[in-house]
Amino acid sequence: DIQMTQSPSSLSASVGDRVTITCRASQTISNYLNWYQQKPGKAPKLLIYLASSLQSGVPSRFSGSGSETDFTLTISSLQPEDFATYYCQQSRSPPLTFGGGTNVEIK
Amino acid sequence: DVQLVESGGGLVQAGGSLRLSCAASGFSFRSYWMHWVRQLPGKELMWVSRIDSDGSSTEYADSVKGRFTISRDNAKDTLYLQMNSLRVEDSAAYYCVRDIYSGSYNFDPWGQGTLVTVSS
């Protein structure tokens, strides 16, 4: 199985900050990498697919980059509604696997 | 609006069975691959199973293979997960999710989830 490792597991940031979350795959997955946002009590929501494609309706302050084994989710200017947990997921091949999550908290 | 609504969760003893359902609306259900994903109490997300658009092909995570069965009724726009021989470690919120395009393994949208608790 492909293991997905996210870092950091949590971070504290202020509104307006630039935030970067990283995800590493245990083997090369090309660009088959997705990012999700989950708020407390809600289901995850797709933000980015195929490493850098913005899902419809997602604000442009979210962006994704990377390929093969190393990937990054960037929030260019953190907004109050962005405080949540973020997960990466490899879509290269089943079993589809997720990272452990990064909790973005208010500083 | 595209909507997925799960039902059928609850409390069951280890060794028991449950059948989850997911009612789809707002899109052509028969055209999309569908999945079940679960979220453990510690918030870890784990893919469980997928089914192709006409139900002819399925895949499972090793931890549920032989115990869980995914199926669909395209006439009723409904996805199912039959869970047998349940274990304590199957306790989780179970989400019904759609591929953004069939075979993409990119999940959107997600249902609201249904909670399964397996007691010892």
Side-chain angles (χ1 to χ4, degrees):
Chain A
D1 297 2
I2 300 172
Q3 308 302 318
M4 307 301 296
T5 304
Q6 277 183 246
S7 61
S9 57
S10 67
L11 65 90
S12 295
S14 301
V15 172
D17 283 354
R18 181 181 182 89
V19 170
T20 299
I21 299 168
T22 63
C23 181
R24 174 164 289 178
S26 62
Q27 58 188 268
T28 181
I29 58 171
S30 184
N31 66 334
Y32 292 101
L33 191 283
N34 306 322
W35 290 99
Y36 299 86
Q37 176 194 64
Q38 186 177 31
K39 296 182 179 179
K42 300 291 187 181
K45 170 189 169 185
L46 180 65
L47 299 176
I48 303 282
Y49 62 98
L50 292 175
S52 61
S53 295
L54 196 67
Q55 175 65 341
S56 176
V58 174
S60 59
R61 62 181 179 273
F62 291 93
S63 64
S65 65
S67 64
E68 306 303 342
T69 60
D70 293 298
F71 302 87
T72 299
L73 173 70
T74 299
I75 309 171
S76 60
S77 177
L78 198 65
Q79 297 302 299
E81 60 268 31
D82 300 337
F83 292 95
T85 301
Y86 295 84
Y87 295 91
C88 61
Q89 174 237 331
Q90 65 84 11
S91 57
R92 176 66 180 84
S93 61
L96 310 165
T97 46
F98 293 83
T102 296
N103 186 27
V104 177
E105 299 174 322
I106 301 173
K107 196 172 196 177
Chain B
D1 278 2
V2 174
Q3 197 169 13
L4 299 168
V5 179
E6 302 95 335
S7 60
L11 175 63
V12 62
Q13 283 198 321
S17 299
L18 276 178
R19 188 196 199 200
L20 306 183
S21 300
C22 170
S25 60
F27 67 101
S28 177
F29 178 73
R30 66 183 64 242
S31 299
Y32 288 86
W33 289 23
M34 299 293 296
H35 303 255
W36 289 98
V37 175
R38 67 187 182 187
Q39 187 162 35
L40 306 180
K43 301 302 181 185
E44 176 188 357
L45 289 166
M46 188 195 122
W47 170 79
V48 173
S49 182
R50 71 93 181 151
I51 188 167
D52 69 356
S53 53
D54 66 2
S56 61
S57 171
T58 60
E59 286 183 290
Y60 297 91
D62 284 348
S63 58
V64 308
K65 202 174 294 182
R67 300 188 300 122
F68 291 11
T69 302
I70 191 172
S71 62
R72 64 192 297 161
D73 185 336
N74 285 344
K76 295 183 177 179
D77 291 345
T78 302
L79 177 72
Y80 302 101
L81 186 68
Q82 178 68 43
M83 304 187 297
N84 298 331
S85 303
L86 281 161
R87 304 168 180 169
V88 171
E89 55 265 35
D90 294 321
S91 297
Y94 283 74
Y95 293 100
C96 164
V97 301
R98 188 193 75 174
D99 269 359
I100 61 172
Y101 53 89
S102 287
S104 68
Y105 299 134
N106 307 323
F107 304 142
D108 188 72
W110 298 52
Q112 87 287 353
T114 187
L115 188 62
V116 172
T117 303
V118 184
S119 66
S120 56

